[in-house]
């Protein structure tokens, strides 16, 4: 089994199930500690190369995922892999798109959709999920 994230490290979200997912902004330096084993990069354009397995989910800044069915499948994969791997979700700033994705992953983990944004703001970043469109997307997200 792969060493998981330090649950006390900045940017690490502990889901109710105990799974850990790290969120971060790609404009910031890579945090200390081990690298992810899998990352989902939420960007409107082709992401930079990384040294670990990654998946690009096209998601323009301040907007919603370009393909919502693909997004739901990617969020499910993050949730499943977080049971035994170091999984990271990242956008440019680490708040809007990353926070929205983490909130959807929290819904998969059992957090009610109407509570998911507050959960992520409480346990990840108080400014996560930046736009009204993103908040509505999370509220309407179904597994």
């Amino acid at each position: 089994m792969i060493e998981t994230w330090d649950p006390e490290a900045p940017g690490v979200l502990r889901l109710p199930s105990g799974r850990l997912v790290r969120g971060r902004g790609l404009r910031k330096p890579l945090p200390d500690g081990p690298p992810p084993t899998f990352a989902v990069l939420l960007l409107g354009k082709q992401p930079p190369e990384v040294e670990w397995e990654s998946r690009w989910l096209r998601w323009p800044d301040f907007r919603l995922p370009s393909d919502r069915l693909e997004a739901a499948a990617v969020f499910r994969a993050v949730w499943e892999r977080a049971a035994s791997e170091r999984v990271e979700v990242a956008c440019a700033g680490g708040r809007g798109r990353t926070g929205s994705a983490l909130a959807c992953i929290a819904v998969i983990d059992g957090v009610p959709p109407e509570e998911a944004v507050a959960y992520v703001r409480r346990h990840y970043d108080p400014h996560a999920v930046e736009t009204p469109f993103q908040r509505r997307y999370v509220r309407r997200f179904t597994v």
Side-chain angles (χ1 to χ4, degrees):
M1 185 160 145
I2 295 171
E3 171 191 357
T4 61
W5 299 119
D6 173 358
E8 303 303 317
V12 175
L13 174 68
R14 180 187 293 275
L15 296 166
S17 66
R19 286 175 164 89
L20 303 172
V21 179
R22 183 171 77 185
R24 79 174 178 105
L26 295 170
R27 288 191 299 248
K28 300 172 188 166
L30 189 64
D32 290 335
T37 54
F38 177 66
V40 173
L41 307 173
L42 312 167
L43 297 170
K45 61 182 181 171
Q46 184 75 35
E49 291 288 321
V50 293
E51 297 177 16
W52 44 86
E53 182 184 355
S54 67
R55 178 146 181 205
W56 173 31
L57 180 62
R58 186 183 298 271
W59 191 333
D61 201 8
F62 297 107
R63 300 229 166 100
L64 299 177
S66 297
D67 184 332
R68 294 181 193 180
L69 289 176
E70 179 187 12
V74 168
F75 301 155
R76 169 69 65 184
V78 166
W79 181 81
E80 289 171 358
R81 293 180 76 157
S84 61
E85 296 180 54
R86 290 185 309 275
V87 182
E88 176 177 86
V89 175
C91 66
R95 289 185 169 172
R97 293 169 284 183
T98 296
S100 300
L102 291 172
C104 291
I105 295 162
V107 170
I108 293 168
D109 200 63
V111 175
E114 62 276 3
E115 297 173 21
V117 170
Y119 183 88
V120 169
R121 286 179 173 171
R122 190 168 49 256
H123 298 286
Y124 169 67
D125 185 315
H127 303 288
V129 193
E130 295 175 313
T131 71
F133 300 111
Q134 291 169 345
R135 288 190 297 274
R136 185 170 53 238
Y137 174 69
V138 172
R139 278 194 316 273
R140 294 179 177 174
F141 185 77
T142 57
V143 283

